[in-house]
Amino acid sequence: MENSNKRPLEDECQYLHTETKKPKASQVTSTTSHPKSSKEIVGLEDLCDDIIVYLFKFLSHDNLAKMSLVCPNLFRISNDWTLWKKPRFDKFDKSMEYIYLGYLKKDTTEIYISRDGVQSPDHSVSHNFLMQLEVICPELQHLTLRNQVFDANEINVRVLHRKLKSLTIDNTTIENIPDSSSYLCGINNSCPDLEKIIMTNNDWFLPNCLYALAKLEGLRYLSLAGCKQFKDCIPYASITAITGFKSLHTLDLRFTPISDHELVCFQRLTSLKSVLLESPSYMNHERDATITDLGLAGFCTVAFEFHYPYIQILIDRRGGVNLRRVQDRHGDLNRCHIEYLYVRNYPKVTDAFLKTAARNCPHLKSLDITGSCCTSEEIEYYKASRPRTKYEICW
């Protein structure tokens, strides 16, 4: 009985013992691979919708929009709202605008439009596209326009979405701007909720644009980095610092040709906490107006210190501009208390500024003086004088 339940030895070891003899030629049969039938091939449409949506997340929105041209099923799946909450068109094509608009949703909160560093009207957004955003995307809050070409007669700030909270216009050409007003005139009425504006690398940005931006009551972040024409703007900087920019927290003026004259004006902004400055490579610090210890001195204030010297702008009859120190009994009460200051590649910033900062800037948390003439000895003294303050000093 016991032996009858056991399998034969040959069966147990049939996978352990292999034939060592070579088969005869007559026994060798050739095999030919045949293509699988259509039922065995798994295509994209054979996958469930959830998997296809997951795969579509790795596509650019430019390519995702082209899925509508493949078949109705992929068009349906590519329309999933989760894919279009923050669309990014890196290769924007004006001829595809009607397809892009068909994909945008009411839940879309952010749109990025660019064209790989190439400026061309054929790859720039149209007036019709921007006008329809407020209807199609009622919750849109962030809009980025990069490497675009606009005609000011067709596209201006009046076509922008009213609920925008942040607006970026970078490396963009704007043609036919009227001489009588700035391109941004009226932006406070068109987009009253703007809190962040990035206007970088735009040669069309002139000093008179500053007056339009100053009217935005909720503006907290302003970047004018790389705007080469933003220079000699003392009248606009002075007026706007007194009448506008009531909520401005961060001012980015890197790679703009500003000097002490403009910097002194912005020191009147009591809400200002962060200032980013970096000299353009083309700037001649021996010949051109630049940033020095005198211009930075206004950032070094002590609360409730009487008879504090501040900088006053003097304009003579010939139009010349000069700065001088003036004693002000309550000068610190209407000036900013800066916390983050970056002053890079300004060789006329010296140890004199560091000494003043160590003595009168207890609120300064971060300082970058890369490319200045400050000595290592004075930098070490500054560090020792602020042991409880987090700081960052480069040179």
Side-chain angles (χ1 to χ4, degrees):
M1 293 292 294
E2 184 178 354
N3 294 333
S4 63
N5 293 330
K6 292 184 178 180
R7 299 177 63 187
L9 181 61
E10 291 79 2
D11 293 339
E12 288 185 8
C13 302
Q14 62 179 333
Y15 299 110
L16 299 179
H17 297 279
T18 57
E19 184 67 40
T20 58
K21 295 182 180 181
K22 295 183 179 180
K24 296 180 181 180
S26 60
Q27 296 177 341
V28 177
T29 58
S30 59
T31 59
T32 304
S33 60
H34 297 281
K36 295 182 179 180
S37 64
S38 59
K39 294 182 179 180
E40 295 177 332
I41 299 175
V42 178
L44 184 62
E45 293 186 77
D46 296 319
L47 302 175
C48 67
D49 289 2
D50 291 341
I51 294 179
I52 297 177
V53 169
Y54 176 77
L55 294 176
F56 279 179
K57 290 181 179 180
F58 295 93
L59 293 178
S60 67
H61 288 89
D62 307 272
N63 291 329
L64 190 58
K66 294 177 182 178
M67 285 297 173
S68 64
L69 306 177
V70 177
C71 67
N73 187 43
L74 292 184
F75 171 72
R76 175 184 61 82
I77 299 174
S78 62
N79 257 292
D80 189 280
W81 70 272
T82 60
L83 299 172
W84 295 94
K85 194 172 182 64
K86 297 180 180 181
R88 184 182 179 95
F89 301 106
D90 293 297
K91 298 180 180 179
F92 190 87
D93 189 344
K94 184 176 289 187
S95 64
M96 292 279 292
E97 279 190 338
Y98 72 100
I99 297 179
Y100 298 152
L101 289 171
Y103 273 99
L104 298 180
K105 310 296 180 185
K106 65 178 181 179
D107 300 302
T108 300
T109 59
E110 182 176 339
I111 297 178
Y112 176 98
I113 296 175
S114 183
R115 184 64 189 191
D116 292 343
V118 179
Q119 291 187 1
S120 170
D122 295 332
H123 304 306
S124 300
V125 67
S126 70
H127 173 273
N128 178 63
F129 185 94
L130 293 175
M131 285 292 292
Q132 294 194 52
L133 290 182
E134 194 157 352
V135 177
I136 299 175
C137 310
E139 302 302 321
L140 185 66
Q141 296 183 355
H142 312 284
L143 177 62
T144 297
L145 302 171
R146 183 162 285 147
N147 302 322
Q148 302 288 288
V149 178
F150 294 156
D151 186 336
N153 295 325
E154 297 180 1
I155 298 179
N156 50 54
V157 295
R158 290 190 295 273
V159 305
L160 296 176
H161 199 293
R162 185 171 178 81
K163 290 187 177 180
L164 286 181
K165 289 189 175 180
S166 72
L167 173 64
T168 297
I169 301 179
D170 173 66
N171 195 35
T172 294
T173 299
I174 300 179
E175 303 170 344
N176 300 320
I177 299 177
D179 297 331
S180 58
S181 63
S182 73
Y183 178 73
L184 300 177
C185 183
I187 194 172
N188 59 307
N189 296 321
S190 302
C191 307
D193 298 331
L194 277 173
E195 299 175 358
K196 182 177 182 178
I197 291 182
I198 300 177
M199 297 281 170
T200 49
N201 306 308
N202 294 316
D203 291 344
W204 56 265
F205 192 95
L206 301 176
N208 59 353
C209 294
L210 199 66
Y211 186 69
L213 297 179
K215 296 181 179 181
L216 289 164
E217 297 182 358
L219 187 63
R220 291 178 52 83
Y221 183 100
L222 176 61
S223 175
L224 304 177
C227 294
K228 298 180 180 179
Q229 302 303 320
F230 188 68
K231 58 183 179 180
D232 301 328
C233 57
I234 300 172
Y236 292 100
S238 179
I239 294 173
T240 55
I242 296 173
T243 62
F245 292 128
K246 299 302 181 182
S247 302
L248 193 63
H249 184 278
T250 301
L251 180 61
D252 185 353
L253 296 174
R254 291 174 295 174
F255 309 111
T256 57
I258 69 165
S259 64
D260 287 343
H261 304 138
E262 293 84 11
L263 200 59
V264 168
C265 299
F266 294 124
Q267 289 168 1
R268 289 180 170 270
L269 302 177
T270 57
S271 61
L272 197 60
K273 299 298 180 184
S274 301
V275 176
L276 309 178
L277 306 168
E278 185 163 354
S279 172
S281 58
Y282 55 82
M283 196 167 184
N284 188 326
H285 297 278
E286 298 301 326
R287 182 191 61 197
D288 302 332
T290 185
I291 293 177
T292 68
D293 299 332
L294 185 60
L296 295 174
F299 290 127
C300 304
T301 61
V302 178
F304 306 111
E305 178 183 4
F306 295 104
H307 305 292
Y308 179 76
Y310 73 97
I311 310 303
Q312 185 181 53
I313 300 176
L314 300 177
I315 303 178
D316 57 32
R317 295 180 179 178
R318 298 180 180 179
V321 180
N322 298 288
L323 301 179
R324 75 172 183 180
R325 293 180 179 270
V326 180
Q327 297 294 331
D328 183 13
R329 181 176 177 82
H330 297 285
D332 59 310
L333 297 180
N334 58 357
R335 304 176 72 78
C336 64
H337 290 173
I338 205 72
E339 296 180 357
Y340 301 90
L341 180 60
Y342 298 85
V343 191
R344 299 170 62 93
N345 299 326
Y346 284 98
K348 292 192 176 183
V349 176
T350 68
D351 287 349
F353 166 68
L354 267 187
K355 291 178 181 179
T356 305
R359 183 174 62 252
N360 295 330
C361 290
H363 40 75
L364 192 60
K365 297 179 180 179
S366 182
L367 176 63
D368 188 338
I369 50 174
T370 302
S372 70
C373 285
C374 297
T375 62
S376 58
E377 292 79 5
E378 195 60 41
I379 291 174
E380 292 302 322
Y381 173 77
Y382 178 88
K383 292 180 178 180
S385 64
R386 299 293 175 192
R388 296 182 180 181
T389 303
K390 294 181 180 180
Y391 50 79
E392 176 185 350
I393 302 180
C394 307
W395 68 94

